[in-house]
Amino acid sequence: MALAPPLRRPPRLSPVLPVVAVVALLALPVAPGDDGGAGPADALSALVVLFCAARLLRARRRPLTRTAAVVLGLPVAGVALAALHAVSPGAGLTGLGRYLQVFVLVPAAVLLLVRGRADFRLLAWSFVALAGWQGAVGVHQYVTGTGASYQGQDVRAVGTFGVSDVMGMATVVSLGLVCAVGLALGRSAARERAIALCCALALTVPLALSFSRGAWIATALTLTVQLVLAGPRRAVRAGAAVVAAGVVLVGGLGVGTAMLQERIDSITRVTDAPDQSVTDRYTMWAAAADMWRDRPLTGVGLKGFPEYRDGHASLALSSGSDTEGAGAAYRRQPLLSPHNMYLLVLGEQGLIGLLCLAGGWLALLVCALRGLRRTRTAGGRGLDCALVACGLLVWQLVDFVYADIGGPSTVLTAVCFGLAAWWSLVGADQLASGERPTVPARRGAVAGEAALR
């Protein structure tokens, strides 16, 4: 009697694929004239949260450790308190849902759906792919003069986000560049590291053409941190490659146009001779700080900045910013936020909200750096994941000095915090203990595997 061949299970799809789909939906174009609110990616992120909850109920296991529950749940207290003091019940509920989506629910879902370092790398590469697509669209806009208006010319690269979210492409490209550099500095296969390095060098072009000073500063600081964390020798080699690429792009290919040079020079003139956009930003920062001084503990309530802005801002604040191009007609866009996440939280949620929100971010960063140190004793295993997680966290925390949440690209911020949370609270511990990632399984499957053993 012939022996029957052993039965093989069909390969299971990774549960992180719905999160990859959320990232992929950000490649769709935003309709011209859109107000920059929630989009298809935000709707899918809500379904991802429900999918994660269904998996947890089916597996019948405790979803989060105590540490993870405390770190991810810290923002809830401050946001809920600020929602009670909102200017209206509708504004309170809308703001509460947005903050919970970006800083609690979606990050927790990503943390629970990522099974191991392979899933982490899949999400990181999806960031690089999205950045490549948006960057290619942005470069095409610059070359053909079909981008957003900048200094009277339609040359600003905004990708598919349009003028409603002028910072969207810069955010996507920056995060993709940070992921590519982290993957290139890891201990994976040489071919994968070479591809990641080529992607990182290519993404510097659309990032430059975004004319986003905040994204430039955040990316430069983040890449410096990643290089230092990867080791001095790698930092020197990678720094030399970046300098060589800059010489080729600026000197050989002529990427450094007069407008780009003027934009770079303006970074050093933000205090001596600021332009109107910088003046507006400083004025709104002062207004947010003044709101906090009026209500230091609880702030003015969620979505309260636009309502209280005129009562706290000086006459130097303009009525709005001019937006045009990229398929949209001329529009005067109102200034509804201070473009500083820390001051926005401080003004609307007070000191309690800021301590809860920023305290969770700081805890994630400390745990991520601790996990990075563990890779040294593990022979470099997981170094790419550690560098990507630390890089995403550092970029977000620096960028929040010049920006806040809002627009279709905001859901990518939520996924970033989820990736950082997985490495900080789960991945580093698995690496230290040498455990394989655990995948929730049905009881029958577990019993069958036990019988085979």
Side-chain angles (χ1 to χ4, degrees):
M1 179 177 176
L3 295 176
L7 296 178
R8 292 185 178 180
R9 288 185 182 181
R12 289 186 177 183
L13 295 178
S14 171
V16 84
L17 289 178
V19 186
V20 176
V22 172
V23 177
L25 278 181
L26 291 174
L28 298 179
V30 177
D34 198 327
D35 292 333
D42 294 281
L44 184 57
S45 71
L47 296 179
V48 169
V49 173
L50 295 177
F51 168 70
C52 180
R55 291 185 79 248
L56 293 176
L57 291 175
R58 184 182 180 186
R60 296 180 182 179
R61 66 186 181 94
R62 189 173 66 180
L64 298 171
T65 63
R66 291 182 181 178
T67 303
V70 170
V71 172
L72 292 177
L74 267 178
V76 177
V79 174
L81 182 61
L84 297 176
H85 296 85
V87 293
S88 67
L93 289 176
T94 302
L96 179 64
R98 189 61 157 170
Y99 274 93
L100 292 182
Q101 173 208 11
V102 177
F103 299 116
V104 180
L105 296 178
V106 174
V110 173
L111 182 150
L112 293 167
L113 293 176
V114 173
R115 300 174 301 177
R117 294 192 294 275
D119 287 347
F120 186 101
R121 295 186 183 103
L122 176 61
L123 265 178
W125 276 111
S126 71
F127 274 50
V128 177
L130 175 64
W133 162 250
Q134 292 289 352
V137 174
V139 171
H140 178 266
Q141 291 171 335
Y142 176 82
V143 173
T144 59
T146 56
S149 178
Y150 178 75
Q151 293 186 353
Q153 302 182 45
D154 296 340
V155 295
R156 186 170 189 176
V158 292
T160 64
F161 295 100
V163 295
S164 61
D165 188 10
V166 73
M167 297 295 300
M169 191 214 73
T171 299
V172 169
V173 171
S174 298
L175 295 175
L177 178 56
V178 169
C179 289
V181 170
L183 293 168
L185 294 174
R187 297 279 193 246
S188 55
R191 181 181 179 183
E192 183 178 354
R193 287 187 279 114
I195 295 175
L197 179 59
C198 292
C199 292
L201 294 176
L203 290 175
T204 58
V205 177
L207 179 60
L209 300 180
S210 69
F211 295 102
S212 173
R213 292 171 293 196
W216 293 347
I217 294 172
T219 304
L221 290 176
T222 301
L223 297 187
T224 302
V225 170
Q226 285 182 304
L227 292 174
V228 172
L229 294 177
R233 293 183 179 179
R234 289 191 163 197
V236 171
R237 290 198 298 266
V242 171
V243 171
V247 171
V248 172
L249 290 174
V250 177
L253 303 181
V255 174
T257 62
M259 286 187 294
L260 182 58
Q261 184 62 44
E262 189 276 334
R263 191 68 166 175
I264 296 174
D265 293 339
S266 69
I267 296 177
T268 61
R269 300 196 308 266
V270 292
T271 56
D272 298 333
D275 54 33
Q276 185 58 48
S277 64
V278 176
T279 301
D280 287 338
R281 183 161 302 186
Y282 285 164
T283 305
M284 291 188 293
W285 287 5
D290 197 43
M291 294 177 196
W292 167 70
R293 281 189 288 267
D294 283 351
R295 300 181 185 179
L297 289 181
T298 60
V300 298
L302 293 183
K303 299 287 185 178
F305 182 85
E307 298 293 331
Y308 290 88
R309 182 199 63 187
D310 293 339
H312 294 269
S314 68
L315 296 178
L317 181 65
S318 65
S319 60
S321 59
D322 298 331
T323 60
E324 188 180 8
Y330 173 82
R331 179 185 177 188
R332 190 72 172 170
Q333 190 169 351
L335 304 174
L336 302 178
S337 72
H339 297 291
N340 181 305
M341 191 64 197
Y342 304 105
L343 289 176
L344 176 63
V345 174
L346 192 63
E348 292 188 345
Q349 303 181 35
L351 193 59
I352 295 176
L354 182 62
L355 289 178
C356 291
L357 200 60
W361 301 339
L362 183 60
L364 285 179
L365 183 59
V366 171
C367 293
L369 293 173
R370 184 185 63 180
L372 175 66
R373 187 178 60 183
R374 291 178 178 176
T375 62
R376 313 293 184 189
T377 60
R381 290 186 297 114
L383 179 61
D384 53 349
C385 298
L387 292 175
V388 169
C390 293
L392 292 177
L393 266 177
V394 171
W395 191 92
Q396 288 292 348
L397 297 183
V398 174
D399 184 68
F400 277 163
V401 177
Y402 307 94
D404 47 46
I405 59 174
S409 59
T410 299
V411 70
L412 204 62
T413 300
V415 179
C416 284
F417 279 108
L419 279 173
W422 179 84
W423 170 256
S424 303
L425 304 171
V426 178
D429 292 335
Q430 289 180 354
L431 186 68
S433 60
E435 297 176 356
R436 291 186 176 182
T438 57
V439 182
R442 290 173 297 179
R443 293 181 178 180
V446 174
E449 290 177 1
L452 289 175
R453 291 195 189 101

